[in-house]
Amino acid sequence: MVELDQLTALDGLQWLGAGEEVARRYDISQATVSRSCRKVLKTFGLQLERQNGELDLIGDQTLLQLERDVHQQARLAWRRPLRLEATYWSAPTLCNTLPPGWLLGRSNIVGVRRNFQLLQDGVVDAWLAGLPDLPTADQPDLTAVPLSRMPVFFTCAAGHPLLERQSLTYDDIAQFPTLALPTGSYPLVEQALQAIGLWNDGVRMTRYRRDLWEGKAEVELVVGYGTPLSMQISGGALCRLPLQLPFASGDALVFRRALGASPRLQQLLDHLRARVARLARMNGEIVPVSLAEPRPACGDHAKSE
């Protein structure tokens, strides 16, 4: 009902969050982005509104979803680039090169809800997510393929009083504010940290901003969190504290289960596994996940929430 490039403009706005970003990545003018979006919205009788910092569609999206499914199949058939979203730490470390035909997003969407929705709607084709918050039984149409595991540890600014201590406990950490995101952003992380009295210095952030996350820990007495990959791109401004969090992190590729047999997805997985293996050779804390290693069933994951 609408052309590939017209729907690409609307999808791009929801995915990337700004017309100039759509224009830059797809090499079209912002005027073309606006005209294409108006055409799609009129065709399907929808409205586009910004809610909680993100652009959402208002109205019955049944026909649009059918159209998106067709357009996703066109991307899988090389008619247009496939769309990959990532975390702010995996984009520069695992996605600095990609197989042909993949387009990387801004890699700044905070939390799982928005990313899951973009995948379920077919706006995004795959998301390189961070463990432990992967799809649960509530998202049976999504699947995750873990690629790596790594520890999560506490971080702070140089000169922080905690750096003067030879050993640390969670009670020591709890004496200082600890970074937190809006409720439900990362449910399993939030649950684990609240259980030990942490996750209490709230940050209102739907799109990643360094000044609101690592930046707070760099200039205040706030305690933050890090992994080997996030520290690799931090620029050395944060110090690692000698205490790990009560859960592991890592990377996993999340996509619609129906796309699992696609050679394009398998090519991306092979590429990312090779990138993980290279990083693991340079840092022993990064552990590649074996293809044969079982992941928790969705039901078991859901019960842990």
Side-chain angles (χ1 to χ4, degrees), residues 160-269:
H160 195 289
L162 288 175
L163 291 171
E164 301 174 1
R165 306 189 186 185
Q166 296 298 315
S167 62
L168 291 173
T169 67
Y170 296 142
D171 288 339
D172 295 327
I173 300 291
Q175 296 176 28
F176 296 88
T178 51
L179 287 174
L181 290 166
T183 299
S185 297
Y186 297 98
L188 295 183
V189 171
E190 178 182 344
Q191 176 182 302
L193 292 177
Q194 286 184 342
I196 55 176
L198 308 180
W199 195 261
N200 52 44
D201 188 20
V203 174
R204 300 299 304 176
M205 181 173 64
T206 58
R207 295 271 176 164
Y208 169 74
R209 284 176 47 185
R210 180 180 174 81
D211 62 313
L212 293 179
W213 197 242
E214 290 98 341
K216 284 178 65 68
E218 290 169 1
V219 299
E220 303 175 17
L221 290 180
V222 177
V223 175
Y225 318 101
T227 69
L229 284 188
S230 69
M231 292 295 279
Q232 183 174 318
I233 64 170
S234 69
L238 289 172
C239 299
R240 176 174 176 171
L241 290 167
L243 182 64
Q244 293 186 13
L245 277 72
F247 57 87
S249 186
D251 297 286
L253 192 67
V254 184
F255 48 89
R256 291 171 72 178
R257 191 178 300 275
L259 306 183
S262 165
R264 304 286 305 281
L265 263 295
Q266 293 305 313
Q267 182 187 31
L268 178 62
L269 281 167

Side-chain angles (χ1 to χ4, degrees), residues 38-147:
R38 288 197 298 269
K39 165 66 174 177
V40 177
L41 293 173
K42 181 178 180 181
T43 298
F44 292 101
L46 301 171
Q47 293 179 306
L48 190 65
E49 294 184 4
R50 190 171 293 278
Q51 299 179 353
N52 299 319
E54 298 290 347
L55 289 165
D56 290 324
L57 291 171
I58 308 300
D60 185 350
Q61 300 174 46
T62 303
L63 291 178
L64 174 63
Q65 191 55 56
L66 293 173
E67 188 84 354
R68 278 177 165 161
D69 291 343
V70 173
H71 285 216
Q72 187 172 60
Q73 291 303 315
R75 294 195 296 276
L76 289 167
W78 292 91
R79 296 287 299 277
R80 291 295 187 277
L82 287 161
R83 304 162 187 167
L84 174 66
E85 188 59 25
T87 58
Y88 74 88
W89 64 85
S90 61
T93 55
L94 295 176
C95 305
N96 49 356
T97 64
L98 289 173
W102 282 92
L103 182 66
L104 182 65
R106 296 173 69 187
S107 304
N108 66 349
I109 300 174
V110 173
V112 297
R113 289 177 180 171
R114 181 71 176 181
N115 283 298
F116 286 162
Q117 191 63 54
L118 292 175
L119 289 169
Q120 289 169 321
D121 290 346
V123 173
V124 169
D125 301 302
W127 172 39
L128 190 54
L131 277 66
D133 281 288
L134 299 180
T136 70
D138 294 331
Q139 295 96 23
D141 51 335
L142 299 180
T143 188
V145 179
L147 301 169

